[in-house]
Amino acid sequence: MLLEEFERRQDPADRLDNLLDDYAQRIRDARVYEVAVRSPLEHAPRISARLGNEIWLKREDLQSVYSFKLRGAYNKMAGLDAGQRERGVICASAGNHAQGVALAAQKLAIKATIVMPTTTPGIKVESVAALGGNIVLAGDSYDDASKAARELAESQGLTYVHPYDDADVIAGQGTVGMEIDQQRNGELDAVFVPVGGGGLAAGVAAWFKHARPGVKVIGVEAEDSACFYAAMEAGERVVLEQVGLFADGVAVRQIGAETFRVLQPLIDAVVKVSVDEICAAISDIFRDNRSLAEPAGALALAGAKRYVEQTGITGQRLVAIESGANVNFDRLRH
């Protein structure tokens, strides 16, 4: 399912320019490389041959916490003042953001409380615990965990580190887009980005629409948690009644307010994919580079495949962000 002819919000040109200039500078200034590596951009020859387009995978699964999320978490926490650091931070996460916050807290000597849904894969809970995070399990979904975390932040005076709906977090994630741009040196037609709450997509879109406006930025969602697709159709943020949990890293009921403000005038298309398509993409990635992506980590490639099928494009240069590898091993049965 491809949503390409949606109603764009008609921001005045100067306001859009200001948004892009602001985020481009935030991305350039982002403090991420104290914990993150400049992840490789790998050509995927088998997938490329099959799709009739040149496909590259941005290997964010190779970060130390096996996900891009440490970029935004660290950039946000590195900017806290002394009082905020002393009191500590709290976050809600299904796993990858939690690991990013826990790692940043370890690096910056800040106490971190991590609220996780009870449905979070065990591998992610164990990884957060290993990094020293104080884990609280609450609710069945990210939204339940987020509500509990907000209440604890209020009662204990903790700084809430949002997984996506924060300008500093978005800027940290946007360094992924800046790196792709530098690695391809402008030789690129489209970037496919997984969308949960929209932090990564907003950062990548802001960078490319500032630096390379001709490059398409295409958001990809799991069809059972497509909150951004629904918002673009409605022209405003909506709340999904429920979300599927197979791709737990993007199981969000409502797109963020700031991420939607950034994405609505910038995104070129939104694609929805099924669980079967995500599973096929996991298999495709493994066959090409022997890495094992989590469902959310393979989402962008699944969307690239769907986009190629629906549009019939050939000979184009496409990047899919392999965003994470924190897969629940039991889920491999699928």
Side-chain angles (χ1 to χ4, degrees):
M1 299 177 185
L2 176 65
L3 181 63
E4 200 168 9
E5 300 300 328
F6 41 69
E7 185 73 21
R8 288 183 181 274
R9 185 177 62 193
Q10 297 301 314
D11 276 349
D14 58 345
R15 187 182 302 173
L16 188 57
D17 287 344
N18 288 340
L19 181 152
L20 293 175
D21 289 344
D22 175 53
Y23 266 104
Q25 192 58 52
R26 284 175 177 271
I27 291 167
R28 292 189 193 98
D29 293 342
R31 289 177 61 181
V32 302
Y33 297 110
E34 292 162 44
V35 290
V37 299
R38 179 183 163 96
S39 61
L41 189 66
E42 292 185 351
H43 186 244
R46 293 174 181 81
I47 302 169
S48 297
R50 207 167 75 240
L51 296 185
N53 293 273
E54 292 303 313
I55 310 294
W56 281 266
L57 299 173
K58 178 61 170 168
R59 295 290 307 278
E60 283 298 290
D61 61 304
L62 295 177
Q63 297 295 346
S64 62
V65 294
Y66 311 106
S67 161
F68 72 94
K69 285 284 192 174
L70 80 171
R71 295 174 183 259
Y74 191 85
N75 189 49
K76 172 67 176 179
M77 292 167 64
L80 297 180
D81 63 34
Q84 291 171 318
R85 293 189 182 204
E86 177 66 25
R87 289 188 295 273
V89 302
I90 189 169
C91 76
S93 171
N96 289 343
H97 178 61
Q99 292 177 74
V101 169
L103 178 66
Q106 186 183 75
K107 180 81 171 178
L108 296 166
I110 299 172
K111 181 181 178 181
T113 299
I114 316 292
V115 184
M116 309 178 81
T118 58
T119 54
T120 303
I123 189 172
K124 296 184 179 182
V125 177
E126 294 162 9
S127 296
V128 172
L131 289 167
N134 174 36
I135 299 170
V136 176
L137 297 178
D140 294 329
S141 68
Y142 162 74
D143 298 276
D144 294 336
S146 179
K147 181 181 178 182
R150 291 284 191 185
E151 292 171 353
L152 286 170
E154 180 70 23
S155 65
Q156 299 180 17
L158 307 175
T159 297
Y160 186 79
V161 181
H162 204 286
Y164 50 85
D165 207 14
D166 179 283
D168 292 327
V169 172
I170 292 169
Q173 321 301 31
T175 58
V176 175
M178 182 175 66
E179 288 176 16
I180 293 169
D181 182 23
Q182 293 167 347
Q183 288 164 321
R184 289 298 304 151
N185 195 27
E187 297 180 354
L188 181 62
D189 294 295
V191 181
F192 292 81
V193 191
V195 181
L200 177 62
V204 170
W207 177 264
F208 273 102
K209 295 310 174 183
H210 171 82
R212 309 279 184 183
V215 175
K216 286 188 175 183
V217 180
I218 299 168
V220 186
E221 292 186 288
E223 62 185 12
D224 57 7
S225 57
C227 63
F228 181 42
Y229 191 102
M232 292 301 291
E233 279 195 315
E236 62 182 3
R237 296 163 69 221
V238 299
V239 180
L240 302 180
E241 289 187 11
Q242 60 184 20
V243 295
L245 296 178
F246 179 71
D248 58 282
V250 292
V252 178
R253 292 176 63 203
Q254 184 180 40
I255 196 76
E258 176 66 4
T259 54
F260 188 59
R261 182 182 80 89
V262 174
L263 283 169
Q264 191 180 22
L266 301 183
I267 202 76
D268 292 289
V270 188
V271 183
K272 292 194 291 185
V273 296
S274 68
V275 168
D276 285 347
E277 288 173 307
I278 295 169
C279 291
I282 293 171
S283 177
D284 287 334
I285 290 171
F286 183 77
R287 286 173 177 155
D288 242 315
N289 65 19
R290 293 301 185 267
S291 68
L292 190 57
E294 64 182 279
L299 194 62
L301 178 62
K305 291 170 63 181
R306 169 61 72 95
Y307 188 85
V308 168
E309 177 187 347
Q310 287 193 261
T311 61
I313 60 172
T314 58
Q316 294 204 6
R317 301 155 299 185
L318 312 175
V319 168
I321 299 174
E322 187 177 346
S323 61
N326 289 298
V327 65
N328 182 348
F329 211 68
D330 292 340
R331 205 160 280 179
L332 289 177
R333 294 190 192 97
H334 288 275

